[in-house]
Amino acid sequence: MPRTPPPTRADFHAFRPIQTRWADNDEYGHMNNATYLSLFDTAISVWQMENGINIRGPEAIRFVVVENGCTYFSEVGFPDALTAGLRLTHLGRTSYRIEIALFKGDEDTASTLGFFVNVLTDPDGTPTPIPDALRALLSTILTE
């Protein structure tokens, strides 16, 4: 089965700079697998906060991750400066799928592509419809 090629910057709608840290590298000298998911989560959280989505405290929007994954195309690690590209590939009634690519330096081709499926829940953990204002904001990075 042929492998899907890595996406390019043109495939994404929002971008966040991300700096790797010394502690991100593992014994083999490349970035630890778990660190990729942490960087993806940070890029999503910062984008949400910058766009007025309250993700902390009692009034926070409560998205729960129900699935995630990562495809690796080329290595990154400390001291690489990265850019995270974000795009929504699905926006449902209570959930969305967001994809995050990490680009090394000024490279146009992604080194990695990750995804999270998030479900909006009420305080009891029950899925709840995404409000119209939040849906409109998420739509700004939706890939048609």
Side-chain angles (χ1 to χ4, degrees), residues 4 8 28 33 39 57 64 71 94 101 103 105 112 128 135-136:
T4 302
T8 65
Y28 302 111
N33 293 332
L39 293 176
V64 176
T71 302
T94 63
F103 299 92
T112 59
T128 187
R135 177 176 297 284

Side-chain angles (χ1 to χ4, degrees), residues 11-136:
D11 298 320
F12 293 84
H13 302 296
F15 297 90
R16 293 287 320 132
I18 303 274
Q19 179 59 54
T20 57
R21 305 163 304 162
W22 173 258
D24 294 339
N25 288 9
D26 63 17
E27 184 70 19
Y28 302 111
H30 61 258
M31 196 156 69
N32 190 290
N33 293 332
T35 302
Y36 286 90
L37 293 177
S38 178
L39 293 176
F40 298 155
D41 190 49
T42 296
I44 294 167
S45 297
V46 170
W47 181 84
Q48 289 173 329
M49 291 185 305
E50 287 178 344
N51 285 279
I53 299 174
N54 186 5
I55 63 171
R56 299 188 70 200
E59 301 301 319
I61 297 293
R62 182 182 156 97
F63 281 110
V64 176
V65 176
V66 297
E67 183 180 1
N68 64 40
C70 182
T71 302
Y72 304 94
F73 301 106
S74 62
E75 285 192 38
V76 300
F78 181 80
D80 293 332
L82 306 174
T83 300
L86 291 91
R87 66 183 179 191
L88 248 63
T89 59
H90 173 76
L91 180 57
R93 189 176 75 80
T94 63
S95 67
Y96 66 87
R97 177 186 165 112
I98 189 166
E99 293 186 350
I100 314 94
L102 295 180
F103 299 92
K104 185 177 174 179
D106 293 331
E107 292 180 8
D108 189 53
T109 302
S111 295
T112 59
L113 178 63
F115 76 92
F116 284 79
V117 175
N118 289 325
V119 175
L120 182 62
T121 64
D122 65 17
D124 296 323
T126 303
T128 187
I130 297 171
D132 290 340
L134 182 54
R135 177 176 297 284

